[in-house]
Amino acid sequence: MNQYAAHAELIATFRRAEAEAAHKFGLIKALSHKGPKAIQAAAETATKAAKRRDSYAKKLKELGIDLKD
């Protein structure tokens, strides 16, 4: 795999992780009527998704790729 393809794959993975994190944070609001346990579970899931997103962002930054919109 050449360097460009590896970067493109990492960028695509970051974009998916970014979308997943946004979706998970949206679930917190949607589950607010279900009670504190549901909110806590959704918050934990959203935190994990944000960590994955941040991990990919860090890898991209180390490669010198800045994806700020």
Side-chain angles (χ1 to χ4, degrees):
M1 179 181 293
N2 65 30
Q3 188 175 11
Y4 176 76
H7 289 179
E9 185 175 330
L10 187 57
I11 290 169
T13 302
F14 168 75
R15 294 286 187 203
R16 284 191 301 274
E18 189 175 44
E20 179 187 15
H23 173 72
K24 301 289 183 183
F25 279 109
L27 285 177
I28 295 170
K29 194 184 303 183
L31 292 174
S32 63
H33 68 282
K34 295 230 179 208
K37 286 187 179 183
I39 294 170
Q40 182 181 4
E44 289 171 1
T45 303
T47 301
K48 289 176 187 177
K51 284 182 182 179
R52 279 192 298 275
R53 177 202 60 209
D54 294 343
S55 173
Y56 288 119
K58 182 180 175 186
K59 289 177 184 178
L60 288 168
K61 187 174 182 179
E62 288 172 357
L63 293 172
I65 301 171
D66 186 21
L67 295 176
K68 296 204 182 200
D69 293 330

